[in-house]
């Protein structure tokens, strides 16, 4: 079966712009979570969606937002990009919260 | 915020050596501890899910134990092979979210 698909794989944006990342979970998985990884940091939790509702949110500013559609696909948006937002953004899906994740390959965002 | 620590940060071993690394956490108040393997240029891959004190899981040459009373989990690799080279992540699920450690980077030298 198809894995978790993230698009795009790479992205270069300028400070102040906004960006939207997309994640298509494994078929049947209703929980989608987003993580940020920067050098030297562990995966930092951004938010989790389940059945189109944000269930949990990490400690990130309001510039980071997301949503989930009825087909469980999820998007993450970052507005007013800062240099520090340069990171690998990983999406992970699971059947239910707390179950093991299946991760996507990530989107590498570079802000210049 | 729950601080999950992994040690060592990196490890180089010879092919055939056995090795182990540690995931430490401050609280036993969590639902599950997960181990993931993350190879370069790939996605993190689930290895084990552990929930109970004393849990032991095994998958081929890789095994893991969990001690919730003292707040640690060990991951063991027996007879390391070059294909075991990866970053190994542990993560605690508290019911609301996962807290990941920064990982142990393992390099197996042929």
């Amino acid at each position: 079966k198809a894995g978790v698909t993230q698009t795009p794989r790479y992205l270069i944006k300028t400070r102040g712009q906004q960006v939207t990342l997309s994640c298509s979970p494994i078929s049947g998985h209703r929980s989608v979570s987003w993580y940020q990884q920067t050098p030297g940091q562990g995966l930092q939790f951004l938010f989790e969606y389940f059945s189109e509702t944000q269930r949990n949110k990490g400690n990130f500013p309001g510039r980071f937002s997301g949503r989930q559609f009825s087909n469980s696909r999820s998007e993450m948006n970052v507005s007013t990009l800062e240099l520090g937002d340069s990171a690998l953004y990983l999406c992970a899906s699971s059947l239910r919260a707390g179950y093991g994740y299946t991760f996507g390959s990530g989107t590498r965002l570079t802000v210049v | 915020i729950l601080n999950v620590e992994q040690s060592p940060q990196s490890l180089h071993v010879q092919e055939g050596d056995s090795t182990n690394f540690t995931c430490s956490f401050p609280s036993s108040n969590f639902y599950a501890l997960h181990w993931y393997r993350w190879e370069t240029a790939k996605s993190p891959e689930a290895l084990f899910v552990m929930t109970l004190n004393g849990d032991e899981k095994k998958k081929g040459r890789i095994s893991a134990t969990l001690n919730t009373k003292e707040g640690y989990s060990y991951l063991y690799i027996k007879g390391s092979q070059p294909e075991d080279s990866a970053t190994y992540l542990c993560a605690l699920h508290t019911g609301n979210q996962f807290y990941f450690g920064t990982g142990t980077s393992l390099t197996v030298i042929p």
Side-chain angles (χ1 to χ4, degrees), chain B residues 15-88:
Chain B
E15 182 176 352
D17 286 352
S18 294
T19 186
N20 66 84
F21 22 93
T22 307
C23 173
S24 304
F25 44 88
S27 169
S28 62
N29 189 20
F30 60 91
Y31 283 165
L33 183 140
H34 295 231
W35 281 99
Y36 291 87
R37 174 169 60 200
W38 194 358
E39 295 179 67
T40 303
K42 293 187 178 180
S43 312
E45 171 197 355
L47 285 174
F48 304 115
V49 179
M50 311 176 78
T51 55
L52 300 174
N53 184 46
D55 246 355
E56 292 187 26
K57 301 275 181 161
K58 188 173 181 185
K59 188 176 183 178
R61 295 178 292 98
I62 304 177
S63 59
T65 61
L66 177 64
N67 185 323
T68 59
K69 292 181 180 178
E70 296 186 27
Y72 66 82
S73 176
Y74 289 148
L75 190 79
Y76 300 90
I77 303 179
K78 184 178 177 182
S80 303
Q81 299 296 309
E83 58 264 30
D84 296 329
S85 297
T87 296
Y88 291 83

Side-chain angles (χ1 to χ4, degrees), chain A residues 52-102:
Chain A
E52 302 178 66
T53 301
Q54 185 182 88
R55 285 214 292 205
N56 294 296
K57 189 176 191 306
N59 191 26
F60 278 80
R63 300 185 295 107
F64 292 81
S65 63
R67 57 177 175 167
Q68 187 180 33
F69 302 94
S70 58
N71 62 358
S72 293
R73 189 177 73 84
S74 177
E75 287 182 348
M76 190 191 98
N77 185 275
V78 188
S79 63
T80 319
L81 283 165
E82 300 176 359
L83 294 178
D85 297 333
S86 295
L88 177 68
Y89 291 88
L90 283 170
C91 163
S93 75
S94 63
L95 275 172
R96 286 192 281 278
Y99 276 49
Y101 283 143
T102 300

Side-chain angles (χ1 to χ4, degrees), chain A residues 9 35 37 40-45 48 55-59 88 90 97-106, chain B residues 1 9 31-32 34 36 38 41-46 49 87 89 91 93 95-103:
Chain A
R9 289 294 305 275
Y35 287 85
Q37 193 201 33
Q41 297 285 320
L43 294 175
Q44 302 292 311
F45 173 72
E48 181 205 358
R55 285 214 292 205
N56 294 296
K57 189 176 191 306
N59 191 26
L88 177 68
L90 283 170
Y99 276 49
Y101 283 143
T102 300
F103 282 90
S105 299
Chain B
I1 294 179
Q9 190 173 7
Y31 283 165
H34 295 231
Y36 291 87
W38 194 358
K42 293 187 178 180
S43 312
E45 171 197 355
V49 179
T87 296
L89 299 172
H93 195 271
N96 289 327
Q97 67 178 74
F98 278 97
Y99 292 89
F100 279 83
T102 52

